[in-house]
Amino acid sequence: MMAGDGTIIDPRDAVLGRARVTDTPELEAFYQDLAAHNAGAFWKRANAIEPWEPETRYRPTLWRYADMRAMCMRALDLVKPEEAGRRVVTLLNDSDAGRENVAVCGWLFSGMQAMRPGEITPAHKHTASAHRFIMEGKGAYTVVDGHHITLGANDYVLTPGGCWHDHGVVADGDVSIWQDGLDIPLMNSLETNFYAVYDQPTQTAAFPTDDLPRTFGGAALRPEGIAAWEKPYSPVMVYRWDATRDALWNLAKVSDGSPFDGHMLRYSNPLTGGWALQTMGAHMQMLKGGFRGKAHRHTGNVVYNVAGGRGYSIIGGARFDWETHDIFCVPAWVWHEHVNLDPDDEAFLFSFNDFPVMEALGVRIEEAYSDHGGHQPA
Ligand code: GTQ
């Protein structure tokens, strides 16, 4: 339904408790006087600021790896990491909100970072937390608060907020490309983001290489005789691809998984079972050959990176075809369902999200799509 001034009226608003004031010349004059006093009439905007359900300002968006990889390679030639600080190609949601907030989706920032052998990204820290998914390369590493961590393809690695970090690729490695996820839009909205640079270009490792994943990465096996880990994030730091994939294969031997997500594992803090970081979560999910998921929607934003395979997702009624290392996002409260197009082979989807924020605030809400046998009409 359209009002005289062109605004859309939800028919559900024609009930007691929803604003439906007809403006008069006297009211128009009142609105102007209110505006001159830094005030407004709540009923003019009430229905928009208290919608019946979440109305995301973000759009489902897909970035093709073939295109974005080429952009990363151009950035490699055009700027040096020491000059750029971070030579990152930012992924901007295809919406005004995405461009304004430098957001990939909702509270989340994402970028792609490519590094040549021998290059470093100067050490720094910020309140914003970061995590990364390695897409290709050999010899990449990160140093987090003095812990040197080696990185391989499809590994998932943490840089918790407030930790010093620098990255690089060893001189005899390969060009490495990874996807960064940060909670920068959240930190900036909360006006809590601090930034500092280290007094050296790189940190000197203060511990044996990979000490944290080797100490705490044994899944159900917890080390004894080690000082207690007091920090609010996972001590594992890096989650290896081989172990993640094997865990999914094992799970699939004994479980049907979720009708929406197939077989799905959380990258958890093994000490708590909760999310690895306080503000962002991540998953790896496996869609078995021919998997056709049902549709659901939930609060919170999710950014996917296709770890392997070929398929499509229907997001908000539109089909997005994907293949290895394509990146796409599902904004809050938008219906989505995933399909593996290969009848015989698994597809793997890495994803990161802002669910820990939704949970901490008590607003993680989910709903299954009930019409058409659980599938959106495409
Ligand atoms: O590595 O800390 O993609 O500060 C953008 C900003 C990565 C990082 C990005 C950052 C980082």
Side-chain angles (χ1 to χ4, degrees):
M1 225 194 303
M2 195 96 85
D5 64 358
T7 51
I8 306 287
I9 298 177
D10 187 321
R12 288 176 296 175
D13 287 339
V15 294
L16 198 62
R18 295 301 275 181
R20 50 195 166 120
V21 173
T22 307
D23 290 341
T24 59
E26 292 78 6
L27 274 170
E28 298 287 1
F30 179 51
Y31 298 150
Q32 281 182 17
D33 288 347
L34 284 172
H37 290 81
N38 293 320
F42 176 70
W43 60 85
K44 284 287 281 180
R45 303 178 67 184
N47 296 355
I49 65 177
E50 290 183 318
W52 290 99
E53 59 186 34
E55 288 173 6
T56 183
R57 294 168 297 149
Y58 296 88
R59 291 226 290 259
T61 307
L62 183 140
W63 296 265
R64 299 227 164 275
Y65 192 51
D67 298 336
M68 299 317 295
R69 186 181 193 282
M71 298 290 176
C72 288
M73 292 303 161
R74 273 169 75 185
L76 271 188
D77 288 334
L78 290 168
V79 288
K80 297 192 182 67
E82 311 86 67
E83 292 166 0
R86 248 123 296 137
R87 188 173 47 205
V88 167
V89 171
T90 307
L91 303 177
L92 292 172
N93 189 270
D94 180 24
S95 61
D96 291 343
R99 286 177 273 266
E100 271 160 37
N101 302 336
V102 193
V104 63
C105 198
W107 298 117
L108 303 169
F109 167 99
S110 189
M112 290 171 63
Q113 197 159 172
M115 291 189 87
R116 283 207 177 90
E119 284 183 340
I120 59 121
T121 286
H124 66 282
K125 68 176 180 180
H126 30 67
T127 324
S129 288
H131 49 182
R132 312 170 204 288
F133 184 67
I134 315 304
M135 290 187 275
E136 57 176 277
K138 257 210 311 268
Y141 64 88
T142 186
V143 185
V144 178
D145 273 352
H147 297 277
H148 182 105
I149 296 160
T150 58
L151 302 172
N154 283 359
D155 286 354
Y156 166 66
V157 62
L158 311 178
T159 310
C163 296
W164 293 112
H165 55 288
D166 56 88
H167 325 296
V169 176
V170 296
D172 61 352
D174 293 339
V175 169
S176 296
I177 306 179
W178 59 79
Q179 182 188 8
D180 294 328
L182 288 94
D183 56 8
I184 291 173
L186 174 66
M187 290 299 131
N188 286 342
S189 296
L190 297 175
E191 300 178 337
T192 51
N193 207 7
F194 296 86
Y195 183 93
V197 291
Y198 200 62
D199 58 7
Q200 303 286 323
T202 58
Q203 300 170 76
T204 307
F207 307 91
T209 294
D210 286 332
D211 71 310
L212 288 177
R214 285 186 168 138
T215 303
F216 292 102
L221 303 169
R222 262 172 87 158
E224 298 284 12
I226 299 280
W229 181 260
E230 305 286 357
K231 305 202 167 131
Y233 47 82
S234 166
V236 176
M237 286 302 164
V238 66
Y239 298 75
R240 302 286 180 204
W241 166 239
D242 285 359
T244 307
R245 183 205 50 210
D246 289 353
L248 282 166
W249 280 343
N250 281 330
L251 179 63
K253 285 179 190 153
V254 295
S255 157
D256 293 336
S258 144
F260 310 111
D261 286 311
H263 296 88
M264 189 177 213
L265 294 174
R266 166 190 303 196
Y267 293 100
S268 77
N269 178 339
L271 304 182
T272 64
W275 303 104
L277 296 171
Q278 287 169 286
T279 52
M280 293 183 292
H283 290 114
M284 181 67 76
Q285 73 194 82
M286 181 174 81
L287 312 179
K288 284 172 92 167
F291 176 84
R292 181 162 188 227
K294 292 193 168 185
H296 72 157
R297 62 181 176 180
H298 45 69
T299 53
N301 297 272
V302 185
V303 181
Y304 293 86
N305 186 314
V306 182
R310 201 169 57 82
Y312 66 89
S313 300
I314 303 173
I315 310 170
R319 172 169 164 160
F320 292 81
D321 281 83
W322 41 254
E323 56 189 30
T324 302
H325 292 329
D326 287 350
I327 294 170
F328 61 94
C329 64
V330 175
W333 208 240
V334 173
W335 297 113
H336 56 282
E337 59 196 90
H338 307 298
V339 176
N340 179 358
L341 276 173
D342 192 316
D344 303 315
D345 234 0
E346 303 101 352
F348 292 93
L349 298 177
F350 167 83
S351 63
F352 71 95
N353 60 63
D354 51 12
F355 295 163
V357 177
M358 303 302 136
E359 289 177 3
L361 301 180
V363 291
R364 184 158 178 213
I365 299 158
E366 183 183 350
E367 186 180 39
Y369 192 86
S370 53
D371 296 344
H372 315 290
H375 299 286
Q376 303 160 83

